[in-house]
Amino acid sequence: MRMSAGFAARLCALPLFFGIPGRAAAAGWPDGNWPTADPAGLEIDESQLHAARDYALTGGGSGCIIFEGTQILSWGDQAALYDLKSSSKAIGVTALGLALKDGKVKLDDPAVKFHPAFGVPPDANAQTGWLEKITLRHLAAQTAGFEKPGGYTDLLFVPGTKWHYSNGGPNWLAECLTLTYGRDLNEVLFERVFTPIGIAAKDLSWRKNAYRPDLINGIKRREFGSGFSANVQAMSRIGYLYLRDGWWKGEQILTHNFIEAVRQPSPAFADLPAHDKTHGEAAAHYGLLWWNNADGTLADVPRDAYWSWGLYDSLIVVMPNLDLVIARAGKSWDRAANAAHYDPLKPFLGPISRAVAGARKKAAAPPASPSPVIKRIVWAPANTIIRKAAGSDNWPMTWADDNALYAAYGDGNGFEPFLPEKLSTGFAKITGEPLNPGGINIRSPSGEAKGDGRNGRKCSGMLMVDGVLYQLARNTGNARLGWSADHAATWTWADWKFTAGFGCPGFLNFGKNYSGARDDYVYLYSHDADNAYDRADRMVMARVPRTRLREQNAFEFFVRTDADGVPVWSRDITQRGAVFSNPGKCYRSSMSYDAGLKRYLWCMTGPGADTRFSGGFTLYDAPEPWGPWTVAFHSDAWDTGPGEMMHLPTKWMSADGRTVHLVFSGNDAFSVRQGTIELHGDK
C-alpha cells in the first residue's frame, strides 16, 4: 500500500476521533424526540446558524442541527420524507460495517468471493482480467472502475488506479452483502441498526429498484445507489450513531475501525487521479461512500468532518471535533457557473462550524468523546477519603502472588512508623481492605533512592509477573527497568534504558500475579516525553513478551492500528505512533484492566499547577489497550487534589467491575476513594 508525503501530511492534520478536544454530550442519547436547547444559552452564535438555515431554505425542505446530543435548531417539516438519492450510499454502507463487525467479510476481500457472478453482465468485463482484483474496499471507495449508471455497466480501468464516481459499484457491493447474509438488507438494517436507534418504517424506506431486478437468488435485492427516502430526524440519528463511534446507549452497533475507514480517505487511494473532473480531485476527500474534508477544501470546516451527499443536496453531516450532527433535505441549491464541486456546501457548513466552534472553545472540555459504556462515575463523599502515609506521593502498585499489593512511593517516609530518612523511592506492602488499608514499609538498599523532585530516581510503574516484581524508574534519563524476585527486598537493574519518549512509563495491570492477562505480552505506556515533568502531545505504548521483559531488543512499539483494527508494531522506537493524542495535555498516567466490565481504564493527571491540593484528572476507557479511548470521567477541578499520580488497583475492583477504588497522592498522602460506575442502560 503506498502513501504519498502529501497524504501523510493531511492524515497527520486529522485529529484522532478519541483524542480530539470535546466535552461529553449534554443530553447523551435521545428518547423519542431530541431534547432541545436555546443556542444563545450555550453561547452559540445564532446569527451564523440562521444564515446557514436561510441558505438551506433557498432549496426549501427541512433540517436539524444536533449539538452535544441536543437539538439547537430545526426548520421545515421534520416528518416529511425526502428522496435522498446518493445519500443512500452512505446509509447503505452501514451494512458493510455490520458484516465487518460480524466477521463475515474483510475490506480487502475480493468481491468474487461473495458473488460468483460479480461484474457480469456485461460479458466484456470478464475478458478484462480485472474482476478478480476488485475488493469490497474498491467498491466502497469508488475505485473499482465501473461506469456511473447503477445497472450492469462496463469497467473503465484497472481497479485501484483511478477514482470514479459510480452507482454501479455500490450496487454490486449491496449484492455482495445480500448474498453474504442470505437476507434482505432492509431486514438486516432495521433489525440491527434502524430499530435500535429509534428509526421506524414511517421515517425511512427503501424505494423499488431503479436499475436491477427485484430478486437475487430468491432474495430481495437492494440498491445502495439512490435507494432511500427518509426524514431529517432519521437522518440525524444515523449521523449521531457515526458521531458516537458506532455506539448507541451502551450497545456497540458498528466498530471504531469501520467508522475510521468511512470518515477519511484510504492511504492507498487518496492521491489517485480522477477518471473525469466532474467531482474535482475527489480521491483526496472521499472515504467509504462518505465525503469528507480531510484535505481542508472547506477552510472553515473542521478537517475531521464527513458527510453523505446526494442529488438535491441531501446531507448527513458529522463533525466529531464540534460534537455536531447536521441533517438537511429538500431541493438542490443553485450552482454558479464553473463552481467547484464543494462550493455549494460552503454557505451552509461554514456558518454552522463557526457558530459552534466559539462555544466549544469556551467550554472546559475533556479531550475525547464520552464513553459509550460508562455513563458516569459517582465518587464517595470527600469526607470518606482514607489518607495514610502522610508526605509520600506517586504510589504505583501491583497485585502480587501473595495476595498483597506492592507499591512504591516518592519523596516521603512511607507508612507509620515512618522511616527516619526521606526517600525519593521507597517500597511498601499494602494489606487489608480498601476502606481500611494497612501499609508495611519495605527496606531495600538496592532499590531505594534519595533526592527530592527531579533530583531523585522515582518509580513510575509496578507490575508482578510470574512471581517477579518489576518496576519502571524515571528521572534516570528516560526510564530504566528493575526487577525483584523477593518482593521488593532486593533489586537488579537492566543495563539499558529507553532511548526516547518513555520518560514516565507505567505498566498495564491485570489480575493477581498477572492473571487474566489478554495475551502473553506485557504492555507499558508513557506520555511522549523524555522526562516526567514536560507535558506532551500524545501518549505512546510498547509491548514485550512476558518471558523476555528484561531484554531491550524484545520490545515492540505501537505504530498505529490498521483498517481492521489490528495494531501495527515496530522494533524501532523512532517509529512509535500515538495511541492517544491531546496536544500539550498528555501527562502522568496509569492503566488497569477492569475484568468485570471488560474495559481498560486509564487515569491521567489533568490541569493544575500543584495537583497535590487542587486540579483535575480524566479517566478514559477502551475495549483494547490501544483504544479507542473515550471519557468515563473528567474534571478540571475535582473536589479534592487528585495528586501527581493515581491508580486503580485491580485487587480492589468488585467482581462486576462497578465498584473501584482510586489510590491517589492528593494532599501528599496515600489516599483512597471509592467510585461507583454506572453504565448506559442502567435504570
Side-chain angles (χ1 to χ4, degrees):
M1 182 173 69
R2 68 186 181 91
M3 182 188 294
S4 74
F7 176 71
R10 293 194 298 273
L11 190 61
C12 289
L14 280 171
L16 297 175
F17 180 81
F18 46 88
I20 54 179
R23 62 183 171 191
W29 309 94
D31 290 316
N33 296 326
W34 289 104
T36 59
D38 179 9
L42 299 174
E43 298 187 73
I44 292 172
D45 187 339
E46 288 187 279
S47 64
Q48 295 272 13
L49 289 186
H50 293 162
R53 176 202 60 195
D54 294 345
Y55 173 74
L57 285 171
T58 62
S62 307
C64 61
I65 301 174
I66 312 300
F67 173 61
E68 295 187 337
T70 301
Q71 184 170 287
I72 57 172
L73 187 67
S74 65
W75 61 91
D77 185 348
Q78 299 292 292
L81 295 179
Y82 295 91
D83 183 358
L84 301 187
K85 295 302 182 184
S86 285
S87 270
S88 300
K89 296 181 177 71
I91 298 173
V93 81
T94 305
L96 174 59
L98 292 176
L100 290 166
K101 181 174 183 287
D102 293 342
K104 291 180 175 293
V105 305
K106 294 182 178 179
L107 282 176
D108 294 316
D109 283 338
V112 294
K113 176 180 179 180
F114 310 102
H115 194 328
F118 173 75
V120 179
D123 293 338
N125 287 343
Q127 308 306 313
T128 63
W130 299 341
L131 289 176
E132 291 75 14
K133 299 178 181 179
I134 297 174
T135 66
L136 301 184
R137 189 192 300 272
H138 287 132
L139 294 173
Q142 300 286 22
T143 60
F146 288 102
E147 287 183 310
K148 185 177 185 301
Y152 301 108
T153 58
D154 290 334
L155 284 171
L156 301 174
F157 50 80
V158 176
T161 61
K162 296 181 182 180
W163 188 94
H164 183 62
Y165 192 82
S166 169
N167 290 317
N171 285 348
W172 280 116
L173 177 61
E175 292 190 11
C176 289
L177 295 172
T178 298
L179 295 173
T180 297
Y181 276 102
R183 297 179 61 193
D184 179 355
L185 291 183
N186 187 60
E187 295 176 0
V188 174
L189 285 171
F190 265 97
E191 178 183 295
R192 299 282 300 280
V193 181
F194 299 151
T195 300
I197 68 174
I199 296 174
K202 65 180 177 60
D203 303 310
L204 180 150
S205 63
W206 221 317
R207 61 138 171 82
K208 292 182 179 180
N209 290 355
Y211 303 107
R212 301 189 177 202
D214 187 56
L215 299 177
I216 179 171
N217 286 8
I219 307 165
K220 176 67 178 177
R221 186 192 319 251
R222 299 290 179 175
E223 295 176 342
F224 285 171
S226 308
F228 288 101
S229 293
N231 60 42
V232 293
Q233 288 292 301
M235 295 164 68
S236 67
R237 286 174 180 263
I238 292 169
Y240 199 68
L241 173 65
Y242 278 78
L243 176 72
R244 292 290 172 246
D245 213 29
W247 289 83
W248 196 274
K249 293 185 178 180
E251 179 187 358
Q252 185 183 31
I253 295 175
L254 302 171
T255 68
H256 166 77
N257 301 304
F258 169 68
I259 303 292
E260 287 292 284
V262 161
R263 73 177 187 89
Q264 59 192 349
S266 167
F269 304 149
D271 295 312
L272 292 181
H275 181 70
D276 63 49
K277 301 302 180 183
T278 304
H279 301 87
E281 295 298 338
H285 50 229
Y286 196 83
L288 301 184
L289 299 181
W290 289 68
W291 299 88
N292 61 64
N293 195 39
D295 61 353
T297 296
L298 297 178
D300 292 338
V301 176
R303 287 198 174 203
D304 68 343
Y306 59 105
W307 53 89
S308 73
W309 194 8
L311 186 67
Y312 310 138
D313 294 318
S314 63
L315 295 164
I316 304 171
V317 184
V318 180
M319 296 188 189
N321 189 275
L322 298 179
D323 207 343
L324 192 67
V325 170
I326 308 161
R328 186 270 167 183
K331 297 297 183 182
S332 297
W333 295 317
D334 290 339
R335 266 75 168 161
N338 300 316
H341 183 232
Y342 270 15
D343 281 358
L345 300 175
K346 293 178 179 179
F348 184 58
L349 299 185
I352 296 173
S353 299
R354 292 190 294 272
V356 172
R360 297 288 283 174
K361 288 178 181 178
K362 295 173 184 176
S369 179
S371 170
V373 174
I374 297 174
K375 182 178 181 180
R376 64 175 179 164
I377 301 177
V378 179
W379 300 105
N383 62 9
T384 67
I385 295 172
I386 307 297
R387 298 192 193 272
K388 296 192 174 185
S392 300
D393 61 14
N394 288 343
W395 300 109
M397 62 184 57
T398 190
W399 189 1
D401 55 353
D402 61 359
N403 205 39
L405 292 168
Y406 284 80
Y409 60 86
D411 291 345
N413 302 84
F415 287 91
E416 295 186 44
F418 296 129
L419 300 185
E421 67 270 43
K422 185 177 183 179
L423 300 176
S424 64
T425 298
F427 303 95
K429 179 179 180 178
I430 313 297
T431 59
E433 298 302 316
L435 300 184
N436 186 29
I440 303 169
N441 297 320
I442 301 171
R443 299 311 307 260
S444 174
S446 56
E448 293 173 359
K450 295 181 180 180
D452 288 339
R454 295 172 181 257
N455 299 318
R457 188 185 73 233
K458 291 180 170 61
C459 177
S460 58
M462 290 279 283
L463 184 71
M464 176 168 272
V465 181
D466 302 327
V468 178
L469 273 177
Y470 291 87
Q471 68 160 305
L472 292 163
R474 61 178 172 89
N475 298 5
T476 63
N478 290 100
R480 190 177 185 186
L481 179 72
W483 57 89
S484 171
D486 56 8
H487 295 84
T490 59
W491 292 87
T492 302
W493 293 96
D495 60 1
W496 55 270
K497 299 177 183 179
F498 290 95
T499 58
F502 283 80
C504 187
F507 290 111
L508 165 55
N509 268 265
F510 287 95
K512 177 181 176 181
N513 196 24
Y514 212 56
S515 63
R518 73 181 309 279
D519 51 33
D520 288 327
Y521 285 91
V522 167
Y523 294 85
L524 54 154
Y525 45 88
S526 175
H527 62 290
D528 192 14
D530 291 340
N531 61 67
Y533 302 91
D534 294 336
R535 295 179 184 269
D537 293 340
R538 63 183 190 170
M539 304 297 293
V540 291
M541 175 174 273
R543 72 175 185 178
V544 61
R546 63 192 290 172
T547 58
R548 302 181 62 194
L549 221 163
R550 305 170 195 179
E551 303 173 32
Q552 184 178 19
N553 62 6
F555 281 77
E556 297 177 308
F557 302 93
F558 177 86
V559 179
R560 58 181 172 82
T561 54
D562 66 16
D564 295 315
V566 178
V568 177
W569 306 89
S570 172
R571 293 287 176 85
D572 183 355
I573 195 171
T574 66
Q575 298 299 310
R576 67 192 185 281
V579 74
F580 176 84
S581 296
N582 188 21
K585 296 182 180 179
C586 292
Y587 202 43
R588 303 176 190 179
S589 67
S590 72
M591 191 189 300
S592 304
Y593 181 63
D594 188 327
L597 298 183
K598 296 182 172 59
R599 301 290 284 183
Y600 295 85
L601 304 180
W602 198 355
C603 300
M604 193 176 302
T605 304
D610 188 348
T611 52
R612 295 176 300 167
F613 305 107
S614 65
F617 75 99
T618 304
L619 198 159
Y620 303 95
D621 71 322
E624 296 286 1
W626 39 85
W629 295 100
T630 52
V631 173
F633 174 82
H634 172 81
S635 174
D636 282 320
W638 208 27
D639 58 359
T640 188
E644 295 179 325
M645 289 193 73
M646 60 210 65
H647 311 269
L648 289 168
T650 57
K651 181 185 177 183
W652 289 350
M653 293 177 177
S654 62
D656 65 2
R658 292 177 177 238
T659 301
V660 297
H661 294 84
L662 186 72
V663 176
F664 59 103
S665 55
N667 285 24
D668 252 357
F670 179 88
S671 304
V672 185
R673 189 175 193 178
Q674 182 173 295
T676 302
I677 296 176
E678 297 180 3
L679 306 182
H680 292 294
D682 286 349
K683 295 182 179 179

